[in-house]
Amino acid sequence: MDADSYQACELCPRRCKARRASGRAGFCGMTSELRVARSALHFWEEPPISGEAGSGAIFFSGCPLRCVFCQNHEISGEGFGLPVTRSRLSEMMLELEAQGALNINLVTALHYAPDVRQAVFDARAAGLTLPIVCNTSGYENAEVVRAMADVVDVWLPDFKYADPALAGSLSAAPDYPDVAAAALGAMVADLRRKGGRREGPDGRLKRGIVVRHLVLPGHADDSCRVLDRVWQICGNDADLSVMNQYTPNEACRAAGGALSHGVSEEEYEIVLCHADDLGFERIWWQEGGTVSESFVPAFDATGVEGPELPRA
């Protein structure tokens, strides 16, 4: 995996073959030019990721999914972000460590995998010591996951759907369940190869997997099937995060139907009970009333501009 990967691009499961290095946007909406929307401490991840000090989150522009309920649409579909060099990206990581971040949290980064991987190597060579978190929609090529394994310490994937038809209607990706299962399988194999889950005395996750699932209103049955599949792939090698923070965006409110309102307490309880029945030992859940746009940071280019990593 190198810069040539941007020619006839197949980095994401769309395999759109766009000539991104020649300035043509792929299905992800991006050329090969790195674009970042925010680089700052983030306090709303799971406790072993954010702790009290915060996760050093770098939000990348673009996304290979088309989720109708997306809360990050300014960066995922509308392209907000500033161009940065790979050296600047490395320096951002060092700046976040200096700010006290518990880790470097790369959010929706793998359509830039060759540059992101090298930026981590460069930051490590310059003194970066923090764990690297790969925060992903789960819709990733397993071969790219394997190629990134030498720089990623903690995998933080979504697993959104079990039903291909639902994945097709809500994210334009009917292959999502099988693609996400293969990617998660590669993450589990990587974790086992490295010796399994590891956390510090402060509870900070230094190596591991946290699988996230956002419960959608009207689809508790699919959520339970998602947990079945995650259990089959991971067992207790992974933490499970069951989220009830679904917040309808403006388009979903206007369209009406199930996605125009939040998840009911009954729906969320059904999914949590199913997770417990399956045998997950580490389940993260959210208290009632978490439906809020406060979980979405301001995409205002905070921390993006600045110096580049000095040449050695």
Side-chain angles (χ1 to χ4, degrees), residues 57-132:
I58 301 176
F59 291 85
F60 292 83
S61 305
C63 181
L65 287 180
R66 294 290 181 269
C67 301
V68 299
F69 51 84
C70 183
Q71 293 294 302
N72 295 355
H73 54 86
E74 297 134 288
I75 63 173
S76 64
E78 298 170 19
F80 176 79
L82 299 181
V84 299
T85 64
R86 194 173 70 201
S87 293
R88 173 61 194 147
L89 178 58
S90 298
E91 186 65 21
M92 283 183 210
M93 299 177 192
L94 295 169
E95 290 170 356
L96 289 167
E97 181 166 30
Q99 292 170 31
L102 295 183
N103 46 60
I104 301 301
N105 186 350
L106 305 172
V107 185
T108 318
L110 294 192
H111 52 292
Y112 292 120
D115 283 307
V116 170
R117 180 172 177 269
Q118 188 58 51
V120 174
F121 280 134
D122 293 344
R124 290 276 190 231
L128 181 72
T129 64
L130 296 179
I132 299 296

Side-chain angles (χ1 to χ4, degrees), residues 4 15 18 47 130 132 147 222 237 244 288-289:
D4 289 341
R15 300 186 186 274
L130 296 179
I132 299 296
D222 191 66
D237 284 324
N244 75 339

Side-chain angles (χ1 to χ4, degrees), residues 6-24:
Y6 294 121
Q7 290 290 13
C9 186
E10 294 189 350
L11 287 170
C12 91
R14 302 290 183 179
R15 300 186 186 274
C16 68
K17 298 187 180 297
R19 294 192 172 277
R20 294 173 60 197
S22 299
R24 297 191 178 183

